[in-house]
Amino acid sequence: MARAIGVDIGKRFVKVVELSGSARSFRVQRIAIREIPQSAPHHEEDGSTDLTDDLVIEESGELTHLDDQAETELTRAERVSECVSGIFREFKLPKEDVCASFPAHTSVNREIQVPFFEDDQIRKVVRFEAENHLHSHSIDDVVVNWIKTGETKDGSRLTIFASPKQELAERLAELRRARVDPAAIDLDATALYTALEATSVIEQNPNCIFVDVGASSTTLIMLVDGKPRVMRSFRLGVGNLEEQIGDELGVPAQQGGNEMRRLGDDEDLLVPASELATPAGETDKSLTQLKTD
């Protein structure tokens, strides 16, 4: 019996994972990854009524073959919904305990301090404290979430995430069109941290920086002693580069991606750091000079 279903909707793919067991001892039962169709036509139904699979009857009374009707393109939201619905139908997945992801790069994040240590106390004041740091959004137009990144003698350090309600509503609409009503929404950045913790990756690497490069965004998580100290997600991914280079060259995004990987005499634009020139030695500048720079 499935304990929970996770759904992640990316720029190009929909990922669904099925978990069973308990929170302390869970098992990944199945994973489905499906590409979102780039285009999908559907037949216009205004002014007609379905008669058979191949024929429709027009208001005038004339019979028209389905292939003769004008075709219109499905919107991205409709294509996403069909993709999600197809996965749930194919694997006969339950829809009761579903957690969906929301892209962190669409959210505003800030580092703030609050004069409290307990989570219950922080939860009561975090929305009020966040309002003073959100200059581009009204507090009434966002949903505020937070993670604790440390403590000082005066209170707690927090990273807050302010997610636009409009974009959250659009994500929920995509899922509800597929007849999936998620019980919870989680930022993809915090979900990544949870996954790393659950798979003992953080236990083996308590002090490091994790980098996740996607099609439309990149997420950075800096860990200190196994706890998140800094978390950033910004709109730059491999898909963005392909599109931007394609626009500059006046070619499709896929061809732009091919050009991105070729420079001059077939040199690769994307290379491992180990292949770069040896970095210069440590600077002899003072701390004051570095701050000035």
Side-chain angles (χ1 to χ4, degrees):
M1 183 68 179
R3 176 180 175 272
I5 305 295
V7 179
D8 176 61
I9 300 173
K11 182 176 182 179
R12 296 192 299 192
F13 295 93
V14 171
K15 285 85 71 178
V16 176
V17 60
E18 178 186 12
L19 302 177
S20 64
S22 64
R24 292 186 176 181
S25 177
F26 67 90
R27 175 177 296 179
V28 176
Q29 293 290 106
R30 288 178 291 184
I31 296 177
I33 301 175
R34 298 288 186 272
E35 186 171 7
I36 300 170
Q38 295 304 305
S39 62
H42 70 83
H43 298 281
E44 190 66 44
E45 296 178 354
D46 292 342
S48 63
T49 305
D50 287 342
L51 179 65
T52 68
D53 289 341
D54 300 316
L55 298 174
V56 296
I57 183 169
E58 303 293 343
E59 289 181 342
S60 62
E62 297 180 357
L63 290 175
T64 306
H65 198 275
L66 192 61
D67 291 339
D68 296 333
Q69 293 198 119
E71 293 185 345
T72 58
E73 291 291 328
L74 293 177
T75 64
R76 172 181 163 81
E78 291 171 332
R79 287 182 273 120
V80 167
S81 299
E82 286 196 359
C83 191
V84 173
S85 179
I87 294 175
F88 273 78
R89 185 170 55 250
E90 178 183 350
F91 292 96
K92 297 181 174 60
L93 298 174
K95 300 179 180 179
E96 290 78 21
D97 297 315
V98 176
C99 179
S101 72
F102 184 75
H105 69 266
T106 64
S107 304
V108 178
N109 59 66
R110 296 284 187 270
E111 269 75 39
I112 68 172
Q113 289 199 22
V114 294
F116 300 104
F117 297 95
E118 300 298 328
D119 288 353
D120 290 341
Q121 294 176 313
I122 295 173
R123 195 171 292 111
K124 292 177 182 178
V125 302
V126 68
R127 184 176 174 83
F128 172 78
E129 294 289 342
E131 186 173 11
N132 299 324
H133 297 269
L134 299 177
H135 308 298
S136 59
H137 292 75
S138 167
I139 193 66
D140 296 324
D141 296 333
V142 296
V143 176
V144 177
N145 208 339
W146 56 275
I147 59 172
K148 183 189 289 189
T149 58
E151 294 183 355
T152 67
K153 64 179 182 179
D154 298 320
S156 301
R157 290 194 304 267
L158 308 178
T159 295
I160 59 170
F161 300 90
S163 303
K165 290 181 179 179
Q166 178 63 33
E167 297 191 30
L168 276 167
E170 291 171 359
R171 173 56 51 89
L172 288 172
E174 291 174 345
L175 293 167
R176 286 172 180 165
R177 191 180 289 112
R179 303 191 183 280
V180 176
D181 190 7
I185 298 285
D186 193 8
L187 291 173
D188 54 10
T190 53
L192 173 61
Y193 171 77
T194 302
L196 294 170
E197 185 178 42
T199 52
S200 301
V201 174
I202 294 179
E203 183 179 350
Q204 300 169 14
N205 305 275
N207 298 286
C208 62
I209 297 177
F210 285 100
V211 182
D212 175 51
V213 182
S216 60
S217 65
T218 297
T219 299
L220 303 175
I221 305 176
M222 184 175 76
L223 300 178
V224 177
D225 296 331
K227 300 296 182 183
R229 179 62 59 86
V230 177
M231 192 175 289
R232 287 286 184 275
S233 186
F234 46 90
R235 298 174 185 267
L236 178 62
V238 291
N240 302 100
L241 290 175
E242 292 176 354
E243 291 177 358
Q244 291 172 9
I245 293 176
D247 290 342
E248 290 288 337
L249 299 176
V251 298
Q254 185 175 4
Q255 187 176 343
N258 295 334
E259 294 296 331
M260 178 180 69
R261 294 170 177 83
R262 290 197 297 268
L263 280 178
D265 298 330
D266 294 328
E267 293 180 4
D268 201 336
L269 176 62
L270 305 177
V271 297
S274 59
E275 297 181 12
L276 298 177
T278 304
E282 292 188 9
T283 179
D284 55 0
K285 291 185 178 181
S286 66
L287 181 59
T288 302
Q289 289 175 308
L290 290 173
K291 286 183 177 180
T292 301
D293 292 345

